[in-house]
Amino acid sequence: MSNSFVLVINSGSSSLKFAVIDSNTGDAVLSGLGECFGLDDARMSWKFNGEKANCVIQGEANHHQLAVAKLVELVKSYGLIDDVVAIGHRVVHGGEKFTKTVKLDERIVNEVEALSDLAPLHNKAHAIGMRAAMLAFPELPQFAVFDTAFHQTMPAKAYTGAIAKELYTEFGIRRYGFHGTSHYFVSREAAKMINKPVEESSFISVHLGNGASVCAIKDGQSVDTSMGFTPLSGLMMGTRCGDLDPGIIEFLLKKGWTQEQVFNSLNKASGFLGVSGLTSDARGILEAMEQGHEGAILAFQVFTYRVAKYIASYLAALDSLDGIIFTGGIGENALPIRREILRNLKILGFVEDEQGNEQARFGNAGIIAKSEQLNAVALVVPTNEEFVIAQQSVELL
């Protein structure tokens, strides 16, 4: 089979992640990160066939454009340019407008940018990255793959907020959900692992990383998810609070906090970091727990309890359950966290396979627990969002 490489770009406000993905296998031939854009120490690092390299991004011009120009140079110098058939862009927010992958043109880029009210940190940056890539690779077809698209199958009862109707009709305030490409990918892989068509399977997908979300997947489609209008709601995360009584915001404003202080606290100083008072990183939490750090122990308990609560509540969205899928950096690797979540779900009858749980880490998939009561399993499935972007880009060619 001939090489069908896709250059996958994820443009952030001050960064640009990239990878050249083999759309047949999902392997990353070249991958890297440009970071600290807008600062004096803007830089890029990359890996090609296991070899690492880096450079400083010098120049006063737009750092996104300079990074993409360097990316063109890398793709050419490593002899990949003739094998790249398309460019796929990850886009965080597609609103209600984008329900599937679309081919890029200036009109689409403008529409992505127009959705910046819904994801101010992300969508403007995506548009900058798209324009830079379209300028640098004018001969290649380019596509946008949306984090929110997979969740557009949610029924109205799942996405509608219990608020005044005009807040939805005027401002589009509703549940959108995120991590869609991850939940889509792992549900397909899990269906293969249990030897059942995804269209006849029901899963609860648990993506646990610095950002975290749960998704109820029925017959291959998202029917509910924990992130909402923004990625702030749902589970406790690295620095985000997750679900919170909105009255707390009013309370803090009355106490003299500014709007910026409130939302900085909820987005950047809450979650693992806020509860532990120590770190936003799950690995640091687990290490500190072993040393008896009370804040770390509490953060671990709050996190695992909240994840278990969401999993249990999503049984209401399904007629049956085939599996609970753990994915994301924490979900794939943090064995004590998976173990505690399953312990909190003892009413569902899950019995851990300790050896299976030990082995399903560091890139290995596997079944880690079974429930005879539900005739269901708990699985670990490493996610590969770049592979989804590459596949969906090639499918539209």
Side-chain angles (χ1 to χ4, degrees):
M1 193 179 281
S2 63
N3 287 333
S4 293
F5 291 166
V6 176
L7 172 57
V8 175
I9 293 177
N10 180 0
S11 180
S13 54
S14 60
S15 66
L16 187 127
K17 281 175 73 176
F18 60 88
V20 175
I21 302 289
D22 184 329
S23 66
N24 297 316
T25 64
D27 295 332
V29 185
L30 167 71
S31 61
L33 172 68
E35 55 189 333
C36 300
F37 292 179
L39 302 175
D40 293 337
D41 59 344
R43 57 190 179 269
M44 268 178 84
S45 56
W46 62 91
K47 186 163 73 171
F48 176 70
N49 286 343
E51 295 287 318
K52 294 181 180 178
N54 59 73
C55 73
V56 173
I57 301 176
Q58 290 178 319
E60 297 300 314
N62 182 317
H63 281 158
H64 285 84
Q65 286 181 349
L66 293 171
V68 172
K70 179 65 181 177
L71 185 48
V72 175
E73 186 187 309
L74 293 176
V75 172
K76 286 180 176 174
S77 66
Y78 289 129
L80 300 172
I81 191 69
D82 291 336
D83 291 321
V84 174
V85 296
I87 297 177
H89 295 265
R90 178 199 176 215
V91 182
V92 164
H93 217 308
E96 290 185 304
K97 185 164 191 71
F98 296 106
T99 60
K100 57 187 177 186
T101 298
V102 294
K103 188 174 180 181
L104 277 190
D105 55 29
E106 188 56 36
R107 180 182 63 85
I108 296 289
V109 177
N110 288 337
E111 288 176 350
V112 166
E113 200 169 26
L115 288 166
S116 291
D117 275 357
L118 300 179
L121 291 177
H122 297 97
N123 276 41
K124 281 181 183 171
H126 296 325
I128 292 167
M130 286 169 179
R131 290 196 178 103
M134 288 163 78
L135 199 65
F137 297 95
E139 73 289 352
L140 283 175
Q142 307 203 21
F143 302 91
V145 181
F146 299 88
D147 262 14
T148 47
F150 181 55
H151 302 301
Q152 284 295 306
T153 52
M154 284 190 292
K157 66 180 181 182
Y159 71 70
T160 303
I163 52 177
K165 193 173 182 181
E166 57 265 26
L167 294 179
Y168 171 54
T169 53
E170 287 183 35
F171 304 116
I173 297 176
R174 52 157 282 182
R175 181 177 302 279
Y176 288 102
F178 302 90
H179 293 140
T181 45
S182 177
H183 292 303
Y184 170 89
F185 177 79
V186 298
S187 59
R188 270 77 192 147
E189 292 300 302
K192 291 177 199 168
M193 287 169 67
I194 64 169
N195 198 25
K196 193 171 178 180
V198 71
E199 298 81 11
E200 298 169 16
S201 305
S202 290
F203 295 109
I204 295 172
S205 172
V206 187
H207 180 110
L208 304 179
N210 196 44
S213 68
V214 182
C215 181
I217 301 169
K218 184 177 181 179
D219 302 333
Q221 296 190 322
S222 169
V223 292
D224 207 348
T225 190
S226 59
M227 282 181 168
F229 180 63
T230 73
L232 186 58
S233 71
L235 301 177
M236 166 180 159
M237 305 174 221
T239 62
R240 295 184 201 135
C241 61
D243 289 341
L244 182 81
D245 176 355
I248 293 167
I249 297 170
E250 181 190 26
F251 175 84
L252 290 173
L253 292 173
K254 283 181 175 176
K255 287 289 180 186
W257 281 41
T258 64
Q259 181 183 323
E260 189 178 6
Q261 278 179 307
V262 172
F263 285 93
N264 263 342
S265 180
L266 302 185
N267 275 292
K268 298 177 182 176
S270 297
F272 275 136
L273 177 62
V275 177
S276 70
L278 189 68
T279 178
S280 63
D281 191 289
R283 289 165 296 192
I285 294 291
L286 293 175
E287 286 169 14
M289 271 178 63
E290 288 177 10
Q291 293 156 17
H293 188 284
E294 287 185 13
I297 293 167
L298 181 59
F300 171 84
Q301 290 172 339
V302 173
F303 181 75
T304 51
Y305 174 61
R306 285 185 166 208
V307 174
K309 264 206 308 187
Y310 252 102
I311 292 170
S313 72
Y314 276 5
L315 290 173
L318 305 173
D319 298 325
S320 60
L321 181 69
D322 291 301
I324 297 169
I325 307 165
F326 289 96
T327 194
I330 297 171
E332 292 168 31
N333 299 304
L335 186 142
I337 287 177
R338 295 197 305 240
R339 180 170 285 155
E340 186 66 16
I341 291 166
L342 290 170
R343 279 184 189 147
N344 284 331
L345 292 170
K346 55 185 177 290
I347 195 168
L348 303 182
F350 280 97
V351 177
E352 182 190 350
D353 174 350
E354 291 192 14
Q355 189 179 358
N357 205 3
E358 291 271 359
Q359 290 171 345
R361 287 190 292 171
F362 315 125
N364 296 318
I367 291 173
I368 62 169
K370 291 182 180 175
S371 167
E372 287 186 14
Q373 182 180 321
L374 294 175
N375 193 25
V377 294
L379 321 85
V380 173
V381 181
T383 193
N384 192 341
E385 293 164 278
E386 289 82 7
F387 190 19
V388 174
I389 294 169
Q391 282 183 316
Q392 294 189 358
S393 297
V394 166
E395 280 168 15
L396 275 189
L397 270 176

